[in-house]
């Protein structure tokens, strides 16, 4: 029997986001009821359209400011589980708190609301990130597992403040939020009815369900990916490593994390694998040579000798969640098919 059985109501935060829409779709397909939280009625428009076939199984609520005390008190009422995804991925300000405050206060706030709400809440899943795990690999290759934490970037942001890169601020926000969640659980162990799972995925890559009129409107992981395959980059960038996971797999992981009793209390890396950007270009070339022959995508430096510096140990995800991952070839196929169906990839991309 799943710890959160089908038919239960699940709160999903950041409901209009790329991953959340896939999580909601998967929950609904598997028989759950969903309450999705967004920041404004306007943000819920696409959700109402896209999930119209499930009108009696979903409801949308507005949580305007996740940093406010008690922000989620109403949203958690009557749910059996929570999938917390709302967190900033970009910022127009230099202030690290633009990332850190919503990430940390949003996470602790939802846990506080769940604590107040009472015993029908059984499980809370927080979407952390592989960036909460990773540190810089200075030479050779390194295998990362759930024991690893990105303290390096928290320290860097403490040291440099607003001068730290946006990437470092984002990494710090994800690690601080995840650590705060585990700390909260430790402090309130005797009072809580639920247990916690944190998921640590790398770049989520696949068809977007949210409204994306142009490539510039893509969510950040797809925009990074599109930029890295469609514009000229130097060898240092081309030789660097990234990880990937298909949105169906990360959404599946969020639902399995509600079902599998044994997942409670675990931090779990979920990833399809890692490769370098040049190796990715070479793989796309082998699958879709016409995109290169027509000059739509640049080859980069096919002769470049690359080393995959970061390996993610996904044993836990396989043993506890029973996850199986789509390959990078499947990710590429689904993503490029989606982009082509939108009329993109007819000419070289010009991303801003
Ligand atoms: P999206 O940008 O598509 O969605 C982010 C969601 O979070 C949106 O609903 C957004 O609301 C909400 N949000 C952002 N900032 C705030 C804020 N300050 N207050 C309240 N809500 C906010 O991102 P993804 O779907 O890609 O990411 C979802 C989660 O997954 C995040 O926690 C992210 O860190 C994590 N993640 C993502 C990865 C990826 O590759 N995509 C990889 C690893 C982790 P609004 O639309 O109103 O801004």
């Amino acid at each position: 029997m799943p710890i959160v059985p089908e038919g239960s109501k699940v709160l999903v935060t950041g409901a209009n986001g790329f991953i959340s829409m896939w999580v909601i779709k998967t929950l609904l397909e598997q028989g759950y009821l969903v309450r999705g939280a967004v920041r404004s009625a306007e943000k819920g428009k696409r959700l109402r359209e896209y999930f119209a076939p499930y009108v009696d199984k979903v409801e949308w609520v507005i949580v305007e400011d996740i940093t406010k005390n008690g922000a989620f008190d109403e949203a958690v009422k009557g749910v059996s589980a929570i999938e917390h995804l709302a967190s900033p991925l970009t910022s127009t300000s230099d202030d690290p708190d633009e990332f850190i405050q919503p990430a940390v206060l949003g996470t602790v706030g939802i846990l506080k609301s769940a604590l107040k709400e009472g015993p029908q809440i059984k499980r809370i899943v927080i979407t952390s990130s592989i960036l909460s795990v990773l540190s810089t690999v200075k030479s050779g290759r390194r295998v990362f597992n759930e024991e690893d934490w990105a303290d390096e970037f928290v320290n860097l942001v403490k040291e440099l403040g607003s001068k730290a890169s946006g990437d470092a601020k984002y990494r710090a926000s994800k690690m601080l939020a995840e650590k705060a969640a585990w700390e909260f659980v430790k402090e309130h162990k005797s009072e809580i009815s639920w247990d916690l799972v944190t998921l640590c995925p790398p770049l989520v890559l696949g068809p977007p369900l949210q409204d994306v009129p142009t490539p510039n409107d893509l969510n950040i992981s797809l925009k990074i990916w599109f930029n890295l395959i469609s514009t000229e980059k130097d060898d240092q960038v081309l030789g660097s490593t990234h990880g990937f996971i298909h949105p169906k797999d990360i959404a599946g992981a969020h639902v399995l994390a509600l079902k599998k009793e044994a997942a409670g209390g675990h931090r779990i890396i979920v990833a399809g694998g890692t490769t370098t950007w040049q190796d990715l270009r070479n793989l796309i070339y082998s699958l879709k040579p016409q995109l290169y022959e027509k000059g739509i995508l640049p080859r980069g430096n096919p002769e470049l000798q690359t080393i995959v510096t970061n390996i993610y140990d996904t044993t836990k995800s396989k043993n506890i969640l029973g996850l199986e991952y789509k390959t990078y070839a499947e990710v590429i196929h689904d993503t490029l098919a989606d982009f082509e169906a939108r009329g993109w990839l007819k000419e070289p991309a010009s991303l801003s």
Side-chain angles (χ1 to χ4, degrees):
M1 171 89 168
I3 181 155
V4 183
E6 290 85 350
S8 309
K9 190 176 284 184
V10 181
L11 171 65
V12 181
T13 70
N16 58 317
F18 170 48
I19 303 175
S20 286
M21 283 192 69
W22 275 98
V23 171
I24 293 170
K25 182 177 189 299
T26 311
L27 284 167
L28 292 169
E29 285 168 355
Q30 296 194 25
Y32 288 91
L33 307 176
V34 170
R35 177 180 295 157
V38 289
R39 285 206 266 190
S40 66
E42 178 59 27
K43 300 269 183 180
K45 199 165 160 270
R46 167 73 177 161
L47 292 170
R48 281 190 295 276
E49 284 162 13
Y50 187 82
F51 291 109
Y54 291 98
V55 70
D56 54 339
K57 304 265 190 278
V58 281
E59 57 195 44
W60 310 111
V61 295
I62 295 173
V63 177
E64 268 176 28
D65 182 356
I66 65 174
T67 65
K68 278 207 174 134
N69 234 337
F72 288 107
D73 284 0
E74 279 304 308
V76 301
K77 285 207 162 39
V79 302
S80 303
I82 298 169
E83 309 261 24
H84 179 53
L85 291 96
S87 201
L89 290 100
T90 55
S91 171
T92 49
S93 149
D94 283 345
D95 184 354
D97 278 340
E98 290 292 316
F99 283 101
I100 293 170
Q101 296 269 340
V104 175
L105 297 180
T107 299
V108 175
I110 207 163
L111 299 182
K112 280 186 183 163
S113 298
L115 173 62
K116 279 191 263 175
E117 176 53 10
Q120 93 281 353
I121 300 182
K122 298 292 175 221
R123 180 150 290 171
I124 301 181
V125 180
I126 290 177
T127 316
S128 185
S129 169
I130 196 71
L131 299 181
S132 169
V133 174
L134 300 182
S135 46
T136 307
V137 180
K138 297 203 174 79
S139 65
R141 58 171 59 194
R142 175 168 167 194
V143 180
F144 289 89
N145 66 28
E146 287 85 356
E147 302 296 311
D148 294 310
W149 290 91
D151 297 280
E152 174 188 340
F153 295 95
V154 173
N155 295 336
L156 195 69
V157 172
K158 266 193 206 142
E159 194 189 316
L160 298 180
S162 61
K163 294 204 169 61
S165 67
D167 175 66
K169 290 169 197 159
Y170 173 67
R171 287 172 188 246
S173 77
K174 294 305 286 182
M175 187 190 115
L176 289 169
E178 193 189 352
K179 277 240 157 130
W182 288 116
E183 203 51 45
F184 186 94
V185 167
K186 207 162 108 195
E187 269 172 33
H188 297 276
K189 202 153 190 58
S190 60
E191 304 156 75
I192 52 178
S193 57
W194 40 267
D195 52 21
L196 179 69
V197 181
T198 61
L199 299 176
C200 300
L203 281 181
V204 181
L205 304 168
L209 307 179
Q210 73 275 22
D211 200 16
V212 186
T214 75
N216 281 315
D217 301 305
L218 283 165
N219 60 286
I220 194 74
S221 55
L222 283 172
K223 202 168 172 182
I224 289 172
W225 190 78
F226 197 22
N227 176 265
L228 265 293
I229 65 166
S230 67
T231 57
E232 297 293 350
K233 299 287 171 199
D234 62 30
D235 284 356
Q236 199 188 349
V237 173
L238 292 170
S240 63
T241 299
H242 67 285
F244 68 88
I245 182 170
H246 195 289
K248 275 190 187 162
D249 293 341
I250 186 65
H254 279 79
V255 180
L256 284 165
L258 296 186
K259 292 187 172 179
K260 301 278 184 180
E261 175 124 37
H266 284 283
R267 178 183 204 218
I268 306 177
I269 292 176
V270 283
T274 51
T275 190
T276 66
W277 291 105
Q278 183 58 50
D279 289 348
L280 167 65
R281 288 186 185 205
N282 297 348
L283 180 58
I284 302 176
Y285 178 71
S286 70
L287 299 168
K288 311 249 329 164
Q290 64 280 16
L291 288 173
Y292 296 87
E293 282 146 19
K294 290 184 200 156
I296 291 164
L297 296 180
R299 286 288 277 121
N301 179 359
E303 308 309 321
L304 190 66
Q305 297 296 309
T306 61
I307 301 174
V308 178
T309 52
N310 301 357
I311 313 288
Y312 310 149
D313 180 351
T314 54
T315 313
K316 237 175 151 180
S317 74
K318 290 171 185 154
N319 291 348
I320 296 180
L321 298 179
L323 262 187
E324 285 174 23
Y325 295 102
K326 292 193 185 300
T327 62
Y328 215 158
E330 291 171 288
V331 167
I332 292 165
H333 174 272
D334 291 358
T335 312
L336 294 185
D338 178 274
F339 287 6
E340 281 174 329
R342 291 170 193 273
W344 306 347
L345 297 176
K346 286 190 177 141
E347 53 190 45
S350 58
L351 285 168
S352 63

